[in-house]
Structure formats: C-alpha cells, structure tokens
Amino acid sequence: MADQFLTVLNMSLTASYVILFIILVRLPLKKTPKVISYALWSAAAFRLLCPVSFESVLSLVPRAVSPVSQNIAGQQTTRIGGGISAAHSLQATTAAASVNPSQVCAQIGSYIWLAGIAAMLIYSVVSTLILKKNLKNARCIESNLYEANNLKTPFVLGLFRPKIMIPSGLSTEEKSYIIRHEQTHIRRFDHVVKLLAYLILSIHWFNPLVWIAFVLMSTDMELSCDERVLKEMGGEIKKAYSMSLLSLATEKRMISGSALAFGEGNVRARIKNVLNYKKPAFWSVVIAVVAVIGIGVGLVANPRINAAGKSSTAVSNAVQDIYRYRTQYVGDNSKVANISYRLQMPKSLTHTGIELYTSKAPYSLNIVYKTTPAVRASFSKDENQTVFDQNAILMFALIKNADSVRFVINDGKQDLIIKRTRDWANKKMAKDVWESSSTVEKFTALYQEIFVSTKK
C-alpha cells in the first residue's frame, strides 16, 4: 500500500503544477465561453487519475515535476525476502540497518491517506441518505422533476436516473429557467462529472490545490451551464434569468452536499456572468478552442527524455534521472525499483520486477527479466555479460548497503542467474563506488568511466 500511496503523491505533485497553470490560464479566458475553461480541467483530472502518459516535445510540464515512475506502475512488481509482497515490507525488513526511515513514514502515511478516503466516502454516502430522507415528501410534477417545500436551492440528485429537485412556490417564468438549467446539466452529464471530481478529490484529499480545483471546476461548470441556457433561450432573458438566480440566493453556500447531489452555488458570480454575457465572435471562439486544445495536450504530455548514450546531453539526462533515487538502503523498495527500471538493458529483456532480501546481512536484491530461450542462452556466455557488469556497478554506486546483485533472466522454463558483489565492483573500478557517487558530478564521471572500464 505504501507504493500506491507514493504513486498518488507523485501524481498529485505533477497535477499541482497543472492546476496552477490552469488557474493562470483562466485569467485571459475570462471573456471566452466558460465551457472552454471548464473543459481544461480535464487535463488536471487526467494527471490526478492516470500515472502514465505519452512523451512530447510540446509538453508544458517541467521534468522536475513530471511523473518519475510513469512506466513502473502496472508493469513491475516488488517483492521482499523473495516471496513477500511489498505491502508486507515492514515485517520482512527487521534489520534496522536495511530499512530506510522514509519507508516507515510512507507506510504510516498510506494508512492516514486511506483513512481520509474512507472519511470522504462515508460523508458522501451518509449525506446522500440524509438528503433523500429530508426529501421523502417531495412531489413529482412530471417525469424526473420534483418539487419540495423545504428547499431553498434547486439541484440534481442521482446518477443513473437523475432527478431535478426544485423549491416550491416558484413562478412559471422562474421554473422555466431553472428547469432548463438543470436539464442542461443532465444533458451534458455534469452530474457524472461532479461525481468523478468528488472521487478524485477523495483520493487526493490531502492536496489543498485539488480542493481549489474542485471549487473552480464547479464554478466553471455552473457558469458554462448558464451560458448554454442563454444561448438556447436568447440573450434578452438575461435580466429575468439573473432575477431568478437572485431569488434563490441563500447565505449557506452548498459546495458538495454529497457526491450525487450538487446545488447552485456562487450566485453572485453567476449573476454577474449572466448580465455580462455576450455572444462571442466566431473567430475568437475558434482561436480560444485551438489554444486550449494545445494547452491541454501540453499539460497531459510528459517532457521527452532522450535515450542515454546518444549525446553528452542524453548522458546527463540519464544520470540526473537515475541519481535522484540514490539511497542507503536496499529496503527502500520504491527507490530501488526506480533505479532498477532505469538501467540501460537490451530490448530483448523485459523488466518484470525486483526481489529484495533485507531481513539480515548480507543484503541483496534480484532484478528479474523475462526473455526467450535463445536470448537467455546467449547471456550465459561471459563475453555477453558486459551490460550486467555495468549495471551491477551502477546499483552498488546508488545503493549503499547492497552487498550483492543478481540478474535473473527467465525464459519461461528456467532461470539464468548472473551475480555480482560489491567487492567485485570496487575491485573492478579500483575505488569505492558508493563514495565515488557522493555528488551528481562525481556520479557523472563514474557513470562514464564504468562504460570504459567494463569493456572486455
């Protein structure tokens, strides 16, 4: 569970940058249809939900905040002690020397994170049940339209069969505007979007920027819905429409009474937007849409990383990319997994996971790959094992208490195990490889030296 929590933290970090970017972009979009800024929040939703993405030179996300484990999630497994899942790593890593304190913090954090999710979901369910109980005397006017005496604001209730709940005592004109507004919500599946947004908020409840995004997205949803009604019914109803909103205004603002029911909040902003509404020029809309699509793609895409070895810049990128996971402990399974995945291996090998042996010294790890019988047989020859020599030295340079590394190559029937030790690595390089990587500059020099010293 700690790994899942760290993955969510990673996504939340990237999404925070995207949210801030969207907040800034909304400013020059004030005079454009609000549906454009409403649609832009989908980029933030993607970042908050999906740990993987495509790479592009058009990415607007800096490498410093782009997902660092984007290709790990769902592709590799981490095992502790050769047979215990990563979720049980605390029980397996009993030797204090092999356990990174940050792992303990991550495990505790994951429990707090799950408790927060549970609280959000329980609140949503309970509030929905209470709301339904309070509306048991609501009168069905027609189809999915209900009227209740104890309501001060209209809202949509339900997911698969959404109901429109409106206060009683409204004039015919007020009813027509309000019903059209709520029907537009349902037609656009805003009630589904609001539920999805609430679930995302529940997962990332610890991130204040996600709460801000939830509120702003809800505002854009309402404003764009108002504009849709004005477009369908004509701009001449602006004054009457705004008066109907004013008559429903209440001091108690309802952000999310539950995940399945949402009311019409931020009345002041809505009235102002309605009164200022003007049908936008065609070309201004086209330009805004093209710009937002470009921005959306840029926020969804990750920055492109060149393969190491093609140029000095590429080498520098590869060094920076792997060095950030340098750790003192084999038991730091998240960092060790990231290091192992970033090793430059032949395309004929598919990384499937790691196994960490941390219960007692000597501490070791297995990096497991799958391949074909022919490839496995070719790597059994010493002259074809240079790539494993290089990567073993890198592992010892980046993981302080790793005593041995085993590369396990499985062809579906049998394993080929290639083992290297720290003593071997220090002797091969004629230096202490861990100490030689104490800074990124030293590690860069070591990185380049490794590929010279290990050539047979």
Side-chain angles (χ1 to χ4, degrees), residues 394-456:
L394 287 176
M395 295 292 286
F396 293 124
L398 294 169
I399 308 171
K400 183 177 182 180
N401 74 337
D403 295 306
S404 65
V405 174
R406 289 183 292 268
F407 299 95
V408 181
I409 305 172
N410 180 269
D411 63 4
K413 294 182 179 180
Q414 57 181 317
D415 292 336
L416 169 65
I417 298 177
I418 301 173
K419 179 180 177 181
R420 299 293 183 264
T421 66
R422 179 172 294 278
D423 290 340
W424 167 87
N426 290 340
K427 183 178 179 181
K428 186 77 173 179
M429 300 304 297
K431 64 178 73 176
D432 187 319
V433 294
W434 168 261
E435 295 298 331
S436 298
S437 65
S438 57
T439 66
V440 67
E441 291 77 16
K442 289 184 177 181
F443 180 69
T444 301
L446 178 66
Y447 187 95
Q448 295 173 332
E449 186 180 350
I450 287 171
F451 291 93
V452 175
S453 301
T454 55
K455 289 182 179 180
K456 296 184 181 296

Side-chain angles (χ1 to χ4, degrees), residues 65-313:
V65 296
S66 62
V68 294
S69 57
Q70 54 188 316
N71 293 317
I72 295 177
Q75 293 186 19
Q76 67 178 31
T77 57
T78 304
R79 302 184 69 83
I80 311 296
I84 303 177
S85 67
H88 300 96
S89 61
L90 292 181
Q91 289 83 352
T93 55
T94 56
S98 74
V99 181
N100 189 335
S102 64
Q103 287 298 105
V104 179
C105 293
Q107 194 72 27
I108 295 173
S110 67
Y111 294 141
I112 298 174
W113 169 59
L114 289 176
I117 293 176
M120 294 283 287
L121 296 180
I122 290 172
Y123 164 77
S124 176
V125 173
V126 171
S127 62
T128 300
L129 293 176
I130 293 175
L131 190 60
K132 286 186 176 181
K133 182 180 178 181
N134 293 335
L135 295 171
K136 63 181 179 180
N137 294 323
R139 301 180 300 278
C140 180
I141 301 176
E142 60 177 77
S143 183
N144 66 332
L145 181 61
Y146 290 77
E147 189 177 64
N149 294 323
N150 55 345
L151 283 184
K152 290 186 178 181
T153 182
F155 58 84
V156 175
L157 176 65
L159 181 62
F160 299 108
R161 294 181 179 179
K163 300 176 181 178
I164 298 174
M165 314 298 296
I166 62 173
S168 59
L170 298 174
S171 67
T172 302
E173 186 179 37
E174 288 175 335
K175 273 186 182 180
S176 65
Y177 299 148
I178 291 169
I179 293 173
R180 179 66 70 93
H181 179 95
E182 303 304 333
Q183 287 175 338
T184 302
H185 273 313
I186 295 174
R187 218 167 42 239
R188 301 193 314 178
F189 296 97
D190 284 343
H191 59 297
V192 178
V193 173
K194 197 64 175 283
L195 173 60
L196 177 61
Y198 187 86
L199 293 176
I200 294 174
L201 179 65
S202 299
I203 296 172
H204 297 268
W205 60 265
F206 53 85
N207 189 337
L209 283 174
V210 179
W211 286 87
I212 293 173
F214 182 79
V215 173
L216 294 178
M217 183 279 298
S218 300
T219 298
D220 289 340
M221 174 190 289
E222 293 302 330
L223 297 181
S224 64
C225 191
D226 287 333
E227 291 180 351
R228 183 67 182 178
V229 173
L230 292 173
K231 181 179 179 181
E232 292 178 352
M233 301 186 72
E236 61 274 6
I237 71 166
K238 289 195 295 184
K239 185 175 180 180
Y241 189 83
S242 61
M243 290 301 295
S244 70
L245 293 177
L246 185 60
S247 67
L248 294 171
T250 175
E251 293 182 0
K252 182 179 180 183
R253 182 182 176 193
M254 182 180 179
I255 295 179
S256 59
S258 76
L260 299 182
F262 58 97
E264 312 304 330
N266 202 356
V267 174
R268 179 182 296 181
R270 292 180 60 197
I271 291 176
K272 183 178 179 180
N273 187 62
V274 167
L275 293 176
N276 292 333
Y277 174 78
K278 293 181 180 179
K279 187 176 180 180
F282 174 76
W283 287 111
S284 65
V285 174
V286 171
I287 293 172
V289 169
V290 172
V292 167
I293 290 175
I295 292 171
V297 171
L299 294 176
V300 167
N302 291 330
R304 177 165 293 174
I305 301 175
N306 297 325
K310 291 185 179 179
S311 66
S312 59
T313 301

Side-chain angles (χ1 to χ4, degrees), residues 306-328:
N306 297 325
K310 291 185 179 179
S311 66
S312 59
T313 301
V315 170
S316 178
N317 288 342
V319 168
Q320 295 282 350
D321 192 37
I322 198 171
Y323 188 76
R324 73 179 87 176
Y325 302 107
R326 188 173 185 265
T327 178
Q328 298 187 41

